[in-house]
Amino acid sequence: MKLLLDITRVGAPDDYLYARIRCRRALLDLSGRQAWRDGGDPRELLKREYGWVYRQMNARLRRQLLPIFEIAELRTLVLCLRNLIAENRAAINDLLQHSLLHPLLRRELLNAERATPLVARLEQLLADDRPLFRGVAEIYLRQGPGGLEQRLLGGHLQQALERSRLPVVKDVLRYLLDTRNLLAIYKHLRWQIPLAPPLLAGGSLTPAQCERLWQTQDMPRLLTFLQNYTGLPEDPEQAGVEDFLFQGLSLKLKRAGRDPLQPGLVVDYLWRSQQAARQRGLHLERDPDLGERVEQEVG
């Protein structure tokens, strides 16, 4: 079976969808200080936005951009598993409320009582269509949820890169592979972990390049490399290394999204929406009264 739900509607013509997305993109506030969309939970609204774009696209465009949506929903699946382990069923309900996962998968996740049989069931349902699910039950038993997450998210990036033909999608997948590797190297150096970090092949950085960065055990050299890699002059640690790498992807997609009649516009919009929702969520965490004050000002 497929990972995501099937859409039978014809979908909008490309130029019509691109015009709608340009308008929506212009309204995004990437600072996080203003209300995102209708002022509700930014995570829920982000899922709705992904769902809107997914349902509006025609079959050809949806097929081209499918890996981008699959990344988001594989994260949803992993988060559901972690919340099942933590016995937080309310969080699972929230995660799946506007999910694009196949309806049968959503039912399995909602009805699961324990993680181990759930993972085995996911392998049974998805392994034929998605080879990365083969052996996940054994991986989960041996390595736990962290190993499963590495297999699903890292494995998806690698396998989707082999299947994808659209340049902007391939660029995003390569960048995300590089990001996983660079973050792994940084965390191992930062926490002085003696074992070599797990590295994934397929990014724009070769395994040999990543291994050399690790073997030097030189944090300043790594941070300088991150600046050169992203093209950003700021201090990666001051910005937060993960956020710093995400800023680099934002810059890359901003360039890809300049053409108003190409799929890069859609990818840029989805990424900007994700970052806008994330920033809004961070502001609300730091200042829980911010949402109420903004709503009063708007009113």
Side-chain angles (χ1 to χ4, degrees):
M1 64 174 292
K2 301 292 184 182
L3 180 67
L4 304 188
L5 59 84
D6 290 324
I7 302 293
T8 57
R9 60 179 293 176
V10 175
D14 286 352
D15 54 353
Y16 171 81
L17 178 61
Y18 293 154
R20 295 286 304 274
I21 286 180
R22 289 197 299 273
C23 293
R24 296 166 92 94
R25 187 177 66 173
L27 297 175
L28 286 176
D29 171 37
L30 298 179
S31 72
R33 290 187 290 270
Q34 301 298 319
W36 198 74
R37 292 294 179 212
D38 300 324
D41 182 345
R43 292 165 297 186
E44 178 182 344
L45 294 172
L46 177 64
K47 281 186 170 292
R48 288 185 181 180
E49 199 64 16
Y50 265 65
W52 180 83
V53 175
Y54 186 77
R55 291 176 174 86
Q56 289 291 317
M57 292 187 298
N58 57 58
R60 179 189 54 79
L61 187 58
R62 190 182 305 115
R63 184 171 57 253
Q64 290 177 325
L65 300 184
L66 189 63
I68 304 298
F69 293 90
E70 289 177 331
I71 292 170
E73 293 304 333
L74 282 170
R75 289 197 183 104
T76 297
L77 191 154
V78 169
L79 287 173
C80 284
L81 178 64
R82 290 189 177 275
N83 280 285
L84 178 61
I85 296 170
E87 299 183 354
N88 189 350
R89 305 199 71 85
I92 297 174
N93 290 332
D94 291 342
L95 285 165
L96 295 176
Q97 186 174 5
H98 301 288
S99 171
L100 292 172
L101 287 170
H102 191 285
L104 177 56
L105 293 178
R106 294 205 302 270
R107 286 197 297 271
E108 293 287 342
L109 292 167
L110 286 169
N111 297 329
E113 298 292 336
R114 293 185 299 115
T116 300
L118 170 62
V119 175
R121 178 62 172 158
L122 294 175
E123 179 176 350
Q124 179 186 29
L125 290 172
L126 292 165
D128 287 342
D129 184 68
R130 283 286 181 268
L132 66 92
F133 278 89
R134 293 173 187 167
V136 293
E138 183 176 355
I139 290 173
Y140 178 73
L141 289 173
R142 292 184 176 182
Q143 303 176 28
L148 181 64
E149 179 178 358
Q150 177 77 352
R151 165 69 173 180
L152 293 182
L153 297 180
H156 169 71
L157 293 174
Q158 291 175 309
Q159 293 184 12
L161 185 58
E162 294 177 359
R163 298 193 311 268
S164 298
R165 296 292 177 267
L166 197 65
V168 66
V169 172
K170 294 176 79 70
D171 286 346
V172 170
L173 296 173
R174 289 193 189 97
Y175 192 101
L176 292 176
L177 277 168
D178 289 342
T179 294
R180 292 182 73 85
N181 287 337
L182 292 169
L183 280 174
I185 295 169
Y186 171 76
K187 290 176 181 178
H188 276 61
L189 290 179
R190 179 72 175 81
W191 298 333
Q192 298 182 345
I193 300 173
L195 298 176
L199 298 173
L200 298 170
S204 62
L205 302 176
T206 66
Q209 287 176 293
C210 293
E211 288 170 6
R212 283 196 296 271
L213 283 171
W214 159 250
Q215 290 170 357
T216 60
Q217 297 288 296
D218 187 339
M219 180 65 83
R221 178 180 176 181
L222 175 62
L223 297 178
T224 300
F225 181 89
L226 294 179
Q227 290 175 316
N228 294 332
Y229 175 78
T230 60
L232 298 170
E234 293 83 8
D235 181 350
E237 287 193 307
Q238 186 173 351
V241 171
E242 184 175 33
D243 285 341
F244 184 79
L245 287 165
F246 285 165
Q247 289 174 31
L249 182 54
S250 296
L251 183 63
K252 192 179 189 70
L253 287 176
K254 183 178 181 180
R255 291 192 291 264
R258 285 174 181 167
D259 192 321
L261 297 175
Q262 290 296 323
L265 170 74
V266 184
V267 181
D268 177 46
Y269 173 66
L270 291 172
W271 178 253
R272 290 197 200 194
S273 295
Q274 182 175 322
Q275 296 308 299
R278 185 171 185 269
Q279 290 302 317
R280 177 63 178 170
L282 291 174
H283 273 273
L284 291 175
E285 287 177 8
R286 289 193 292 265
D287 184 359
D289 297 328
L290 175 63
E292 183 178 346
R293 292 202 303 274
V294 170
E295 293 298 331
Q296 291 173 349
E297 291 172 5
V298 172

